[in-house]
Amino acid sequence: MANLLLIPEEFTLVLFEASRMRELLDEVLVAIGAPSDLNITIEVDEELAQPMIASYVDVDDARISLWYSGGNFEDTLKARVLDEERTRRELGVGILRGMDRLSREFAGAPRDNKLSDGQRVLWEVTAEGRCVRAGIPTREARLRYVYRLACGFSDTADAAYEKAWSGGFSTWESIADAVASITPTAETTSRAVRRDDLRQIRE
Amino acid sequence: MKRFLPVEELARDERFIRSDLAEGFADPRNGRVRDRTISTARLQPDRAAAPDRARSLMHGIFVGEIQALEAAGRTTFDFDDADAPFALKLDMARQCWDESRHVEISVKLGEHMGTEIGEYTEATFLYEAACVTDPAMRLAGVNRALEGLAIDVFNTMKDFGEASGDPVLQFCEDWMLADEVTHVKMGSDWLRRLTERDPERRERALEFQRAVDKLFSLGGFRGETDESPIQIARRFRELAGFDTKEIDEIAGLAAESIAETRALLGKTG
Amino acid sequence: MVDGRKPRPAFAPWDRRALPGLFDVEESARRVGAYAWLEMRLFEALGGWIATVPELDVKLVLGRHCYHHAWHAEQLQQRLPELREMNPARLTLPANEGIVAFAEALIEPEAAEQTIEKLVGVFRVLLPRTIAAYTYHLNGTSTITDAPTIRTLNFLLQDEFEDWREGEMLLQSLIKTPEQIERASNRAKSLEALIVVAGGIAGAGTLGEEVNESENKSEAVPE
Ligand SMILES: [Fe+2]
Ligand SMILES: [Fe+2]
């Protein structure tokens, strides 16, 4: 399967098995029909517990680079325990967005820390929709709320969501245009700072 | 049915999982995040992980409403008329109806925010405060300390709804806030009436209230600075019968608690 | 133009209210006090049960109904000073010892597995009895002299009907197996036996049956 670099190699603060995470990644790659020659780095910040969740998807030298808060994979009922269903979903969305970034259609997309919340979430909606169609269960109700917080509680925003969910956006420009056309509420303007708060500290 | 139902006997369906406090304390990640300078802990839409923090807080409110309902219900049953006059029980029955609606609102709000019953665990601090056997203490701990906390939480959530342009959240929190103000007022009124001729009893009740207030200021959870996710709602607390001195005292507890946590982590400033 | 000076009868032709009634002041007050006593036991039980039922919808309904019955007790007690009892607590009494036994049995179930027993007691035994007793009272008492009691009972009855319907629907949704049917009917049977011995929620003659004069008064037990 893919060439994976997992950081850390073994987990010490949480009770995740690195080997299990690798198996789940393989399952996801098969489900979404990923090419077999992908180069992937997954970095998990074990110190961050749920609900402090965040993630970054970028491409560096043709390598998909995923950064996650440990909370993204954590069972909400059992602290420090891996939630396999969540893990499949998070990895599915991450890899699909990484594959987007490797394609010509997304060549113009800024790095994740330069995206506005709206751009970022609408892109995620397209990826989660694809996950569901690939048989990876998602939490659609949660995603819709996260999306509305970023893009506003309005019919126009909801219409863009539906379009993204059903695969209506396949280029970076179409996503950026859709977000620009959603009348932003006072609080949904670009704010890349949000996720940085959780990640920057390590850098 | 016996009087005084211990917390272990609260009846729940299989969706509800109790929080494991020991596990929480033993989590090696504790303190590490706090050590990393995250700018503000306030619950604001533009803050780190805001959607999931709001969702998990909403679930916490939901289970809190269930326990508030159960606590008020127990107060209608646990005491003789001599210990708790009919008028007090009538207030508690009214609170039952209010909390029952709050549970209903919370379920619908939870759905709106994409969470579901049982997504997070249930901590039972609230009901535990209602297990004391002196009605004056119970009213002080539940209706003054915890319902007071509810005022702070709902006001914080209302602000969050306003800032994020979420009309549903704003609408619901506004209504719940109105009810909670009356619940705190009930606590203040009955504490005064029950302890009119017994200053020692009143002091014990207030002491218990302070202990509960302190518990919820733990680690700066509730306060008046950027370090607290839940902000003290001074205006609504005044409406509910708290005087400025009492509110200052709660703010002081929060500051004290933040300082203690800092000391524990060997951090200054 | 209507001539306001032209005498009209005090009672319009369609107003058929009449003076005679079944109860004197004392009897109406005794009944109101007995209702208030039972409404109190009921709201306390509903309040206490909230924490003991695992079914979320039942929990919420109990919370709502708890207030309804507390409010009923308050409304009834407010009527007592108007019926010559300045200290409402003094007349807020069980009709007889049989009613005390019934109330104790009603409140008894506690375990989380006993939701059916709790609800059957309230919705299949007690509320049908309160509806019957309040209806008898307002049909029998003087529509002119005791009109305030009638008004109060009508408010109460509106809640009682709606609450009974809601509780009955909950029960129908909970009772599914032969074992549950058995539990529900056993529970109804045992409570029914107690309230029949008591003569109804206001004691012997609750619905106007022939009563030996001394039957209720001598048995009334202050709390
Ligand atoms: Fe509440
Ligand atoms: Fe409340």
Side-chain angles (χ1 to χ4, degrees):
Chain A
M1 290 303 300
N3 166 6
L4 171 68
L5 174 64
L6 180 61
I7 305 169
E9 276 177 46
E10 294 297 338
F11 297 98
T12 53
L13 296 174
V14 290
L15 307 170
F16 306 170
E17 291 289 340
S19 57
R20 185 60 190 144
M21 193 168 270
R22 286 168 183 275
E23 285 169 10
L24 291 171
L25 177 69
D26 286 343
E27 279 178 30
V28 166
L29 292 171
V30 170
I32 63 176
S36 57
D37 58 349
L38 284 182
N39 292 315
I40 304 168
T41 300
I42 298 178
E43 185 187 350
V44 180
D45 185 337
E46 285 186 89
E47 290 189 354
L48 293 169
Q50 72 86 22
M52 301 302 278
I53 69 175
S55 65
Y56 281 87
V57 179
D58 285 300
V59 164
D60 297 304
D61 301 327
R63 190 176 186 89
I64 296 176
S65 159
L66 307 177
W67 179 93
Y68 291 101
S69 148
N72 288 51
F73 305 112
E74 190 177 4
D75 192 326
T76 51
L77 296 174
K78 280 225 123 299
R80 299 164 67 210
V81 170
L82 188 76
D83 179 329
E84 299 202 349
E85 194 177 304
R86 277 184 90 179
T87 303
R88 284 191 192 92
R89 179 179 74 234
E90 291 289 345
L91 293 177
V93 170
I95 300 291
L96 281 168
R97 288 192 58 230
M99 284 164 59
D100 284 346
R101 282 190 177 279
L102 287 171
S103 73
R104 204 175 314 136
E105 287 75 15
F106 283 80
R111 288 182 71 83
D112 258 19
N113 65 357
K114 300 287 182 231
L115 296 179
S116 74
D117 280 354
Q119 292 168 334
R120 152 76 187 238
V121 183
L122 190 63
W123 193 349
E124 278 181 355
V125 175
T126 70
E128 278 212 31
R130 281 176 279 169
C131 279
V132 168
R133 289 188 287 280
I136 299 169
T138 74
R139 290 285 307 278
E140 205 258 331
R142 173 192 171 274
L143 181 66
R144 192 181 280 269
Y145 177 67
V146 175
Y147 170 81
R148 284 173 168 170
L149 274 189
C151 291
F153 293 77
S154 70
D155 291 347
T156 20
D158 281 2
Y161 177 95
E162 300 301 338
K163 189 172 170 188
W165 181 259
S166 53
F169 298 112
S170 50
T171 65
W172 161 248
E173 281 70 29
S174 63
I175 290 175
D177 287 349
V179 173
S181 72
I182 299 166
T183 320
T185 61
E187 295 296 320
T188 56
T189 44
S190 169
R191 41 167 196 255
V193 68
R194 171 142 126 202
R195 274 169 302 278
D196 271 7
D197 279 323
L198 287 182
R199 192 185 185 184
Q200 66 184 3
I201 311 128
R202 295 195 73 79
E203 294 172 342
Chain B
M1 171 172 42
K2 65 174 164 293
R3 287 184 171 179
F4 306 112
L5 190 82
V7 65
E8 299 76 32
E9 290 178 34
L10 284 182
R12 292 285 182 275
D13 70 42
E14 63 191 20
R15 290 171 294 186
F16 292 80
I17 310 282
R18 290 277 164 90
S19 305
D20 185 340
L21 289 185
E23 197 177 71
F25 287 128
D27 193 328
R29 296 171 298 181
N30 287 346
R32 286 180 188 244
V33 176
R34 183 180 294 274
D35 240 1
R36 294 154 54 159
T37 44
I38 289 177
S39 53
T40 167
R42 286 184 192 232
L43 186 66
Q44 289 168 349
D46 58 353
R47 291 290 310 123
D52 285 285
R53 288 173 62 210
R55 292 169 68 257
S56 89
L57 179 58
M58 191 61 236
H59 194 277
I61 291 173
F62 160 68
V63 293
E65 296 296 352
I66 294 181
Q67 291 169 43
L69 164 63
E70 294 171 326
R74 290 309 302 190
T75 304
T76 69
F77 183 78
D78 284 345
F79 305 107
D80 283 330
D81 290 352
D83 290 331
F86 169 63
L88 186 159
K89 293 184 181 182
L90 178 66
D91 275 351
M92 292 297 108
R94 173 54 201 234
Q95 194 181 330
C96 283
W97 183 23
D98 296 347
E99 305 299 3
S100 193
R101 289 197 315 280
H102 293 179
V103 177
E104 294 168 344
I105 295 167
S106 303
V107 170
K108 297 231 184 252
L109 260 183
E111 285 167 6
H112 168 73
M113 295 169 78
T115 173
E116 62 189 40
I117 298 172
E119 181 177 358
Y120 300 95
T121 55
E122 176 183 14
T124 49
F125 297 118
L126 195 151
Y127 185 83
E128 278 164 54
C131 289
V132 284
T133 53
D134 174 4
M137 274 171 94
R138 191 182 290 191
L139 269 285
V142 175
N143 284 63
R144 300 196 89 231
L146 291 171
E147 301 283 331
L149 174 72
I151 287 181
D152 299 333
V153 171
F154 291 161
N155 196 46
T156 299
M157 277 298 238
K158 186 166 171 269
D159 288 347
F160 184 78
E162 255 160 40
S164 58
D166 182 343
V168 181
L169 184 62
Q170 246 174 290
F171 173 87
C172 293
E173 299 297 340
D174 189 39
W175 279 100
M176 295 210 281
L177 196 48
D179 290 337
E180 299 304 356
V181 169
T182 67
H183 300 168
V184 174
K185 242 183 130 306
M186 284 172 188
S188 303
D189 292 347
W190 281 109
L191 177 66
R192 195 177 48 246
R193 285 161 78 172
L194 290 176
T195 62
E196 217 145 37
R197 287 185 204 87
D198 191 345
E200 267 175 43
R201 187 180 178 201
R202 178 174 299 179
E203 200 29 60
R204 274 199 307 278
L206 287 171
E207 198 46 56
F208 181 60
Q209 182 194 324
R210 277 190 284 270
V212 178
D213 269 329
K214 184 153 187 185
L215 183 68
F216 283 92
S217 303
L218 214 66
F221 172 67
R222 181 253 317 269
E224 284 189 309
T225 66
D226 275 356
E227 287 176 89
S228 299
I230 303 300
Q231 297 287 308
I232 296 171
R234 282 191 175 260
R235 186 166 70 87
F236 290 106
R237 279 182 171 271
E238 278 161 14
L239 276 178
F242 281 102
D243 59 37
T244 311
K245 197 175 140 248
E246 284 178 305
I247 305 174
D248 287 344
E249 217 173 281
I250 292 166
L253 282 177
E256 216 173 90
S257 183
I258 290 172
E260 278 170 17
T261 311
R262 277 212 194 102
L264 215 64
L265 296 168
K267 236 179 106 176
T268 51
Chain C
M1 206 178 115
V2 181
D3 182 0
R5 291 178 50 79
K6 192 177 164 207
R8 282 169 65 92
F11 292 86
W14 57 84
D15 184 348
R16 311 308 293 166
R17 285 177 299 143
L19 260 189
L22 296 175
F23 315 128
D24 57 15
V25 172
E26 195 186 340
E27 175 60 7
S28 191
R30 183 194 71 78
R31 285 178 181 253
V32 167
Y35 307 154
W37 184 87
L38 201 51
E39 292 275 7
M40 280 187 187
R41 303 294 79 80
L42 176 55
F43 92 80
E44 292 165 357
L46 294 172
W49 277 334
I50 295 168
T52 72
V53 295
E55 298 87 354
L56 192 53
D57 54 345
V58 177
K59 225 182 243 300
L60 302 184
V61 168
L62 294 183
R64 181 165 2 110
H65 289 195
C66 170
Y67 177 62
H68 292 175
H69 297 290
W71 184 80
H72 296 173
E74 186 198 25
Q75 296 301 305
L76 292 163
Q77 281 206 329
Q78 276 178 13
R79 178 70 182 131
L80 288 173
E82 302 158 5
L83 294 169
R84 244 182 267 140
E85 178 48 73
M86 292 308 144
N87 176 1
R90 203 155 48 199
L91 257 197
T92 305
L93 297 173
N96 55 41
E97 274 169 21
I99 277 294
V100 176
F102 168 79
E104 277 169 5
L106 178 85
I107 292 162
E108 209 243 317
E110 174 181 290
E113 301 75 32
Q114 286 182 297
T115 302
I116 288 176
E117 282 73 7
K118 293 165 193 165
L119 298 188
V120 164
V122 175
F123 298 106
R124 288 197 172 164
V125 182
L126 180 53
L127 289 203
R129 295 272 171 174
T130 55
I131 289 171
Y134 297 170
T135 303
Y136 173 73
H137 194 137
L138 66 88
N139 284 352
T141 199
S142 165
T143 44
I144 294 176
T145 60
D146 203 14
T149 304
I150 292 174
R151 182 165 181 269
T152 297
L153 290 174
N154 272 322
F155 284 136
L156 269 52
L157 274 170
Q158 187 177 334
D159 276 346
E160 304 279 328
F161 279 123
E162 282 178 16
D163 291 358
W164 164 76
R165 175 167 51 200
E166 195 170 26
E168 176 58 28
M169 288 173 85
L170 281 176
L171 274 168
Q172 289 182 21
S173 72
L174 288 168
I175 300 169
K176 293 289 174 205
T177 66
E179 182 255 332
Q180 289 163 338
I181 297 170
E182 182 86 1
R183 276 171 53 198
S185 50
N186 285 345
R187 174 70 174 157
K189 211 162 120 185
S190 66
L191 287 175
E192 192 80 37
L194 290 169
I195 204 155
V196 166
V197 168
I201 70 163
T206 292
L207 298 188
E209 313 88 324
E210 280 297 309
V211 197
N212 161 0
E213 250 315 286
S214 64
E215 217 166 320
N216 283 326
K217 282 168 191 161
S218 62
E219 284 176 24
V221 273
E223 250 191 308

